[in-house]
Amino acid sequence: MGKALGLGHAVWCARRLIGNEPFAVMLPDDVIAADKPCLQQMIEAYNETGGNMVAAMEVNPEKSSSYGMLDIDDGQSDGALVKVKGMVEKPKAEDAPSNLAVIGRYILSPNVLKNLNQLKSGSGGEIQLTDAIAAELTQGNDVYGYRFKGQRFDCGSKSGFLQATVSFGLAREELRDDLLDYLKVILTADEWHTELLRLYLSFYSVRAQRHNPRGVLPHTEPSAVANQRSGPLCIPPPHATTYLRYRKSLQFIRLGARLQVSVGYALWEKRRG
């Protein structure tokens, strides 16, 4: 590619290999667990419709700015299949035409490559594949959204990657028991730290009431102090500093445990291969 100029540019670079045939695009950071692979589901539907097809999934409105969002024709929606009448790349929540987002599986007409050839930089200064698909609509060509069956993991994020690692590990019979045992150890340790923290807070809250009967947390802004009711969960200095250090340590313990799950699975895969 030379430079990373967006998904549309990456697809366009493969134009000589694609030729004049419909083609599929799969984004590796969208990992989908399903009994029948997502792309196979789409191919079976595509054989009935033709045109262009994108995988679709409902997302919370506040997540709209992370996705291409579909504007659908409710009158021509049929179960898993929806007729698309417009697409918006990464809109604000208030500007999103629906809650259906495009997920990283596409089946596209070769005409999309011609559209990419004529596009300029779009959202984020990149050449957007969404814009090339939207151009199909202005040319009178069909675009469909397909609500796939399966669980999608956003492996472009750290938490999504860890969730996928654990989920796929538990789904494999030869890994399930060992992984479950390991997770139980982590959860038990986490519960122990939580209980210790509860006892710590309970102990110092009694002492705090003597020093601070209004129940105000130390270093609180005056405006917050005026509105705060008395309560048992207050930590006077120097115990507040000790508590904050403890909470920071607990965060590192949890992160380390999660990373061990991921690294352990990767090492197992390496030995197996």
Side-chain angles (χ1 to χ4, degrees), residues 44-242:
E44 291 174 0
Y46 183 84
N47 288 335
E48 302 294 327
T49 64
N52 300 273
M53 186 174 293
V54 299
M57 181 184 76
E58 294 182 358
V59 299
N60 293 327
E62 59 269 21
K63 298 287 188 180
S64 299
S65 59
S66 299
Y67 298 92
M69 303 300 294
L70 299 179
D71 185 3
I72 63 174
D73 187 341
D74 293 327
Q76 297 191 47
S77 298
D78 181 20
L81 205 62
V82 296
K83 187 73 176 294
V84 176
K85 60 180 182 180
M87 302 178 72
V88 183
E89 182 65 23
K90 300 179 179 178
K92 296 180 180 178
E94 59 271 21
D95 298 327
S98 74
N99 65 342
L100 274 183
V102 178
I103 303 302
R105 302 291 186 274
Y106 309 78
I107 302 177
L108 303 174
S109 159
N111 196 53
V112 169
L113 297 173
K114 298 177 183 178
N115 298 338
L116 287 171
N117 199 41
Q118 300 170 6
L119 283 180
K120 297 181 179 180
S121 298
S123 176
E126 300 179 339
I127 298 175
Q128 300 293 344
L129 181 60
T130 302
D131 293 339
I133 300 172
E136 287 287 275
L137 294 168
T138 64
Q139 298 167 15
N141 299 321
D142 291 332
V143 177
Y144 298 92
Y146 185 82
R147 294 190 181 101
F148 59 90
K149 295 180 180 179
Q151 183 178 5
R152 176 252 187 178
F153 298 93
D154 179 11
C155 289
S157 70
K158 296 176 183 177
S159 61
F161 175 79
L162 289 171
Q163 290 167 22
T165 300
V166 173
S167 181
F168 278 89
L170 292 175
R172 296 179 61 161
E173 186 175 352
E174 71 274 20
L175 295 177
R176 186 183 303 117
D177 291 342
D178 288 343
L179 182 54
L180 273 175
D181 289 342
Y182 184 69
L183 292 174
K184 288 176 182 177
V185 171
I186 295 174
L187 293 174
T188 301
D190 196 46
E191 290 172 0
W192 182 83
H193 283 99
T194 303
E195 179 64 14
L196 182 61
L197 177 59
R198 187 190 67 79
L199 293 173
Y200 180 90
L201 294 178
S202 298
F203 173 73
Y204 281 114
S205 65
V206 174
R207 299 187 62 182
Q209 287 297 321
R210 300 173 186 171
H211 300 284
N212 190 4
R214 295 183 62 191
V216 178
L217 286 173
H219 313 301
T220 308
E221 293 295 329
S223 58
V225 171
N227 297 322
Q228 186 172 351
R229 298 178 179 179
S230 61
L233 197 62
C234 48
I235 311 168
H239 311 303
T241 302
T242 305

